[in-house]
Amino acid sequence: MGARWPAGVATHPPPRLSLIAASREHAPDVDRTGARSPAGWRLNTSERNEHPVDLSTLGTETRNDKTTDLDRMSPTELLLAMNDEDHTVAQAVRRAVPDIAAAVDVVVASLRQGGRLIYLGAGTSGRIGMLDAVEIPPTFGTSPDQVVGLLAGGAGAFTVAVEGAEDSPAGAVADLDALGLTSRDTVVGLAASGRTPYVVGGLAHARALGASTVSVACNTDAVISRYADVAVEVPTGPEVLTGSTRLKAGTAEKLVCNMLSTAAMARLGKVYGNLMVDMNATNEKLVDRARRIVAEAADTDLDTASRALDQAHGHAKTAIVLLLAGCTAEEAAARLRAADDDVRAAVAA
């Protein structure tokens, strides 16, 4: 598949955002060919891993020579060892920033054309994608179907592990088809090992449909990188507890997801300065935060901010434009619509 490059991307192509955990109790059976039956989902054990990898060669699976006496360490010694290893994660992510930036450009291009960002993963990786996806609507005021998280084994696998589900490429195909995947969407495949069959199958299917693909792995030369328009590899090395990728690898994946979604939303005008001006004020704490956000953004006092929010029916962006542009709430809303919801552009109009 040839590269499809959005404007401003020099080395890689485009994605989107939304949260939907595929519910296996309602999903169809899938065989190796993608055929479906009406019964509940079951792992088809006849599926073969098309990309066998010697797991002992993966950095995330090797033994950490700094913690070979983990079972004999005092609690303080163990925690300090963990903290020392955790310090290496941020630097590993930092080295991947150029690729993460390319992935952000891809996500933004996708969202601007009405596409979605779809996180796809198994086990810890899938749960991390879901965690990021569910936080996007309250933080940025987006539709719940704009950033989606798919987890091998379905929503129930978030709390009860469905270990065999990660070995099914066809399971990912079924989950993406259930979402109605289109060429406007971007699929971000998360796999600490970089070779999870569920993720490989999902990325391959996404590319076949013309969707953009991003891979995030914690090993180099990852299998999933071969199916990605933008490949992000963050080699985190041996875990404190051998093979437990919920530790450093999981932390790295969480950092990358945080960066992808936050940077994309900032580029889309979902923030003003460093303020969450599109957040949903759905409880007492958030109502108070909205008042403080408006006061900070408009450089005014809390009482004035409260009155502006009342006039703007609780919408912080409208209240900010109302105050900064010296107009009515209706005029502020019209300015925002004309400026594609960007506060700075709306105030300058």
Side-chain angles (χ1 to χ4, degrees):
M1 175 179 174
R4 296 172 287 103
W5 314 73
V9 179
T11 50
H12 300 291
R16 324 156 177 202
L17 310 170
S18 172
L19 159 79
I20 296 175
S23 180
R24 293 298 165 104
E25 57 263 42
H26 297 108
D29 280 353
V30 182
D31 64 19
R32 287 186 60 209
T33 65
R36 304 178 185 187
S37 71
W41 180 89
R42 293 188 301 276
L43 172 64
N44 186 337
T45 55
S46 68
E47 289 188 272
R48 293 185 299 109
N49 183 356
E50 301 295 333
H51 302 280
V53 174
D54 182 356
L55 297 180
S56 68
T57 65
L58 299 179
T60 52
E61 294 291 328
T62 56
R63 242 183 131 180
N64 191 323
D65 59 12
K66 299 174 185 175
T67 59
T68 53
D69 292 328
L70 193 70
D71 59 334
R72 296 177 182 174
M73 290 180 179
S74 70
T76 298
E77 289 172 331
L78 190 156
L79 297 176
L80 286 173
M82 290 186 72
N83 187 249
D84 285 343
E85 290 298 296
D86 287 342
H87 271 83
T88 69
V89 176
Q91 288 305 311
V93 172
R94 188 181 187 89
R95 288 189 287 272
V97 161
D99 290 322
I100 299 170
V104 169
D105 284 339
V106 162
V107 170
V108 170
S110 182
L111 292 173
R112 279 183 172 154
Q113 61 180 341
R116 296 166 293 176
L117 166 59
I118 301 170
Y119 289 120
L120 180 82
T124 297
S125 300
R127 294 182 189 101
I128 287 168
M130 288 179 68
L131 282 173
D132 197 62
V134 297
E135 294 291 349
I136 300 304
T139 305
F140 299 107
T142 62
S143 167
D145 63 358
Q146 195 177 12
V147 182
V148 181
L150 291 175
L151 173 62
F158 192 90
T159 55
V160 179
V162 182
E163 298 295 353
E166 74 170 58
D167 293 331
S168 175
V173 172
D175 290 345
L176 290 169
D177 284 349
L179 281 183
L181 182 70
T182 75
S183 60
R184 291 179 302 154
D185 294 322
T186 290
V187 175
V188 176
L190 303 161
S193 67
R195 42 70 60 198
T196 305
Y198 177 86
V199 179
V200 172
L203 290 175
H205 185 60
R207 294 194 82 175
L209 293 180
S212 299
T213 53
V214 173
S215 65
V216 180
C218 294
N219 286 295
T220 57
D221 300 320
V223 172
I224 61 173
S225 297
R226 306 172 198 171
Y227 296 88
D229 299 324
V230 180
V232 177
E233 295 185 343
V234 186
T236 48
E239 297 287 1
V240 167
L241 180 63
T242 305
S244 184
T245 51
R246 67 189 178 84
L247 301 176
K248 290 193 300 181
T251 299
E253 289 176 307
K254 183 66 166 68
L255 292 175
V256 172
C257 288
N258 285 350
M259 295 167 93
L260 278 176
S261 56
T262 304
M265 290 297 160
R267 291 280 305 279
L268 291 168
K270 291 291 186 179
V271 302
Y272 178 62
N274 63 351
L275 300 173
M276 294 190 292
V277 293
D278 252 342
M279 55 163 271
N280 290 327
T282 54
N283 59 43
E284 188 174 322
K285 177 189 75 174
L286 296 179
V287 168
D288 179 71
R289 181 182 293 166
R291 183 165 57 247
R292 288 184 284 110
I293 284 172
V294 172
E296 287 278 351
D299 192 22
T300 190
D301 58 81
L302 291 174
D303 287 340
T304 301
S306 292
R307 289 193 294 272
L309 275 168
D310 287 342
Q311 294 173 56
H313 305 291
H315 190 238
K317 267 188 173 179
T318 303
I320 292 167
V321 175
L322 179 159
L323 291 170
L324 291 178
C327 60
T328 66
E330 291 72 20
E331 290 169 336
R335 282 174 176 244
L336 281 167
R337 286 193 297 272
D340 199 22
D341 223 26
D342 184 275
V343 172
R344 291 186 191 277
V347 172

